[in-house]
Amino acid sequence: QVQLVESGGGSVQAGGALGLSCAASKFMTVMAWFRQVPGKEREGVAGIRSDAITKYADSVKGRFTITKDNAKNTLYLQMNNLKPEDTAMYFCAATSRWILGGLLDEQEYRTWGQGTQVTVSS
């Protein structure tokens, strides 16, 4: 069974930066970051395939960068110019299946991490 372990969350002031990491116990074809605020649905933030195709939510385009080190089975999310509305629990997700277009569709993913909290203060 694949395990995902996230790290790197924390608290930062608006305009600051944070980096998240997600280490997988084996190679996964597609990985993504999702986030959730209590009382709201989980939303896709950024996804990446092993061929480096990426997809971002409109709300984070130009501020967040997703990368994947296939050799280390590790996913990263660099978050710059953070805003208070970025505050959420961030989850790593992964699948060994090939996804064509639904990189931010949570139903495409079967394996999830425990989450790491990101808090941005104004």
Side-chain angles (χ1 to χ4, degrees):
Q1 187 170 351
V2 179
Q3 292 185 328
L4 303 176
V5 179
E6 300 110 331
S7 61
S11 298
V12 66
Q13 289 191 328
L18 280 175
L20 304 182
S21 298
C22 172
S25 56
K26 60 176 282 188
F27 175 80
M28 301 301 281
T29 307
V30 183
M31 300 184 75
W33 291 99
F34 288 77
R35 64 187 181 187
Q36 188 169 25
V37 176
K40 293 189 177 181
E41 292 186 356
R42 188 158 51 188
E43 66 169 341
V45 175
I48 186 169
R49 292 191 327 207
S50 56
D51 61 353
I53 295 296
T54 60
K55 187 170 184 177
Y56 293 90
D58 289 342
S59 59
V60 306
K61 281 181 181 177
R63 301 187 297 119
F64 290 11
T65 302
I66 187 171
T67 56
K68 184 174 178 285
D69 188 329
N70 292 325
K72 295 182 178 180
N73 299 333
T74 301
L75 179 71
Y76 303 95
L77 184 68
Q78 179 62 39
M79 304 181 291
N80 297 328
N81 190 22
L82 282 160
K83 303 176 180 180
E85 52 263 42
D86 295 318
T87 296
M89 183 72 76
Y90 283 70
F91 296 91
C92 174
T95 180
S96 57
R97 298 184 301 110
W98 191 256
I99 298 175
L100 289 177
L103 294 182
L104 300 185
D105 182 353
E106 65 176 291
Q107 295 187 3
E108 293 283 3
Y109 299 92
R110 301 294 179 89
T111 302
W112 293 82
Q114 294 300 307
T116 184
Q117 179 68 37
V118 171
T119 302
V120 184
S121 58
S122 57

